[in-house]
Amino acid sequence: MITLQENIDIKEFTTFKVPSICKYFTEITTIDELQEAIDFSRKKKLPLMPLGGGSNILFVKPFNGLVVKINLKGIAETFKNDDYVYASAYAGENWDDFVQSCVSKNYGGLENLSLIPGNVGTSPLQNIGAYGVEIKDCFFSLKALHIESGKVETFTHESCNFGYRESYFKNEGKDKYIILEVTFLLTRRNHKLHMEYGAIQEELIKKNISNPTIQDVREVVMQIRKSKLPDPKVYGNAGSFFKNPVISNEKFELLQKDYPTIPHYQLENHTVKIPAGWLIEQVGWKGRNQKQAAVHNKQALVLINLGNATGNEVYDLSFAIINDVKDKFGIDLTREVNIIS
Ligand SMILES: Cc1cc2nc3c(=O)[nH]c(=O)nc-3n(C[C@H](O)[C@H](O)[C@H](O)COP(=O)(O)OP(=O)(O)OC[C@H]3O[C@@H](n4cnc5c(N)ncnc54)[C@H](O)[C@@H]3O)c2cc1C
């Protein structure tokens, strides 16, 4: 039986820590409770919003609906053969606890994604990624509840349609499904380590590690993340606020004439990815604030709450940055964070 709370401030359930009133709030630990919550929102004719760790969401307005915190728990595994294991977790498991549990059993594949905040159930939504790895690299399948029919459906790698911080669930499937459980195919031996990212190599060299294990990679990734990213407990934030824009080769060549030092990564399909942090720095926003919302002084891709920011203040700051980048470079920045407006 679910317990409903009315008119609660969602602030403490999100890492941005901006205040916002939700009409109804509940936490569910079973599929039956989830169904009960869906029935309640249907009866009240109110929208339903699943919530995980609240680390990729910004409430700009009060939410006149039911927020359902997904607390489905459990981790399981099945060996495929001597080389691979299927590792599964329910949606409400904390992402990094799951990564830690896999690494401690010597299951390889997720170590570069150590310490990303949030829950397992949300990881496919934006195909979380860091340090050269995305979950799509070892994702196997997921189970999701179709809200309208109440049926549980299985999604394969292909049906999730993963892209850079994108998936089916952020596009056509948005607001239609609640992810219940995710399964990854991980290695049991002959791990494929991803150490292309310069800082990982530097740290391993500093530590005199020439034959790193997946445990070593996890340690190093955690160390780098702690030194580079603002801790939401100190300054509310949701990690990268914007996606790194992808532009055509032609557009890039024109820009490079004016900005010869512009950093970039050549992609397939004649496109180039530009670090959004660099663009934001170039338009002078790094370390600056607008009211109680600011651009972090070490990582310009992260917008922070200086203490008493409202959702609108953060949103307005993002809008000002988007305009300035567009004026100077003709590039459209898009927000990675889910905006509730
Ligand atoms: C300091 C910091 C660093 C970060 N670093 C990274 C990084 O390196 N790489 C990266 O990719 N991301 C990063 N993020 C962003 C964030 O951690 C991820 O996007 C994470 O997957 C969000 O999970 P969550 O459970 O907190 O999602 P929430 O914020 O709770 O929800 C996000 C969206 O998913 C929906 N949702 C929640 N649960 C479900 C469900 N079960 N089924 C369907 N929809 C659901 C919500 O309605 C919402 O729209 C970072 C965030 C912070 C604060």
Side-chain angles (χ1 to χ4, degrees):
M1 189 71 181
I2 55 169
T3 308
L4 288 155
Q5 290 176 267
E6 230 178 309
N7 296 321
I8 77 145
D9 188 347
I10 199 76
K11 183 174 171 174
E12 292 310 320
F13 292 96
T14 70
T15 58
F16 241 125
K17 301 269 184 283
V18 300
S20 181
I21 299 296
C22 293
K23 180 78 183 138
Y24 293 103
F25 177 88
T26 192
E27 303 195 34
I28 62 96
T29 55
T30 64
I31 311 252
D32 284 349
E33 286 179 353
L34 178 56
Q35 196 54 61
E36 201 189 320
I38 293 171
D39 293 343
F40 175 83
S41 71
R42 201 170 277 147
K43 213 188 296 166
K44 290 272 180 190
K45 295 193 170 57
L46 289 175
L48 176 146
M49 184 201 302
L51 186 72
S55 66
N56 202 18
I57 202 161
L58 176 69
F59 285 84
V60 173
K61 274 193 185 153
F63 180 67
N64 188 26
L66 169 64
V67 172
V68 183
K69 181 142 172 58
I70 309 293
N71 281 344
L72 302 168
K73 300 280 187 188
I75 291 181
E77 64 202 34
T78 319
F79 292 145
K80 181 180 180 193
N81 51 35
D82 288 348
D83 294 322
Y84 292 100
V85 57
Y86 296 106
S88 306
Y90 278 100
E93 287 289 341
N94 173 270
W95 172 258
D96 191 56
D97 289 350
F98 176 59
V99 175
Q100 157 66 21
S101 115
C102 293
V103 171
S104 68
K105 292 177 221 160
N106 198 32
Y107 300 159
L110 300 177
E111 53 284 352
N112 288 48
L113 305 177
S114 293
L115 223 57
I116 296 181
N119 289 355
V120 171
T122 335
S123 63
L125 207 89
Q126 71 155 8
N127 177 27
I128 57 168
Y131 306 106
V133 174
E134 294 175 320
I135 65 146
K136 74 171 172 54
D137 302 331
C138 43
F139 173 92
F140 183 71
S141 68
L142 65 78
K143 285 187 181 149
L145 184 81
H146 185 236
I147 297 174
E148 203 177 303
S149 68
K151 287 197 180 125
V152 175
E153 296 177 23
T154 299
F155 285 76
T156 60
H157 197 291
E158 204 187 349
S159 49
C160 287
N161 204 12
F162 291 122
Y164 165 57
R165 300 294 181 272
E166 287 293 345
S167 75
Y168 170 80
F169 300 97
K170 243 187 144 173
N171 294 289
E172 305 94 306
K174 191 171 159 42
D175 300 329
K176 293 188 184 141
Y177 290 90
I178 295 174
I179 298 170
L180 305 173
E181 188 185 354
V182 190
T183 300
F184 298 90
L185 182 60
L186 305 178
T187 48
R188 296 179 63 200
R189 58 185 184 187
N190 302 324
H191 304 305
K192 295 174 197 81
L193 298 185
H194 292 272
M195 295 177 297
E196 308 81 47
Y197 187 82
I200 295 186
Q201 286 178 20
E202 279 166 30
E203 285 305 318
L204 289 169
I205 291 169
K206 260 194 234 163
K207 288 175 184 277
N208 258 329
I209 300 174
S210 48
N211 274 320
T213 61
I214 56 169
Q215 288 81 2
D216 293 327
V217 174
R218 173 170 163 81
E219 287 300 320
V220 162
V221 166
M222 293 201 300
Q223 197 179 322
I224 300 169
R225 289 188 73 94
K226 281 181 192 158
S227 71
K228 291 210 166 154
L229 289 168
D231 180 353
K233 287 193 190 112
V234 181
Y235 289 117
N237 73 86
S240 303
F241 199 92
F242 303 99
K243 291 193 207 173
N244 292 316
V246 174
I247 60 173
S248 68
N249 273 359
E250 293 75 37
K251 188 166 182 173
F252 174 71
E253 278 157 21
L254 287 175
L255 273 176
Q256 208 179 22
K257 284 190 185 139
D258 292 333
Y259 306 95
T261 59
I262 185 168
H264 59 283
Y265 310 98
Q266 183 67 51
L267 303 175
E268 293 157 5
N269 305 331
H270 308 289
T271 55
V272 177
K273 193 187 270 186
I274 313 286
W278 184 85
L279 297 168
I280 296 168
E281 206 173 330
Q282 295 304 305
V283 293
W285 272 110
K286 191 174 182 180
R288 272 176 59 202
N289 72 303
Q290 193 172 272
K291 299 184 180 162
Q292 279 287 300
V295 180
H296 193 249
N297 58 8
K298 282 197 200 145
Q299 175 49 274
L301 204 47
V302 180
L303 302 193
I304 57 172
N305 174 356
L306 290 177
N308 294 308
T310 62
N312 265 317
E313 286 174 7
V314 178
Y315 189 77
D316 288 349
L317 172 61
S318 72
F319 200 70
I321 293 168
I322 288 172
N323 281 341
D324 288 354
V325 168
K326 177 79 176 173
D327 282 353
K328 189 169 170 107
F329 296 102
I331 292 178
D332 292 302
L333 283 186
T334 53
R335 298 177 182 91
E336 182 182 310
V337 173
N338 297 280
I339 308 290
I340 309 302
S341 59

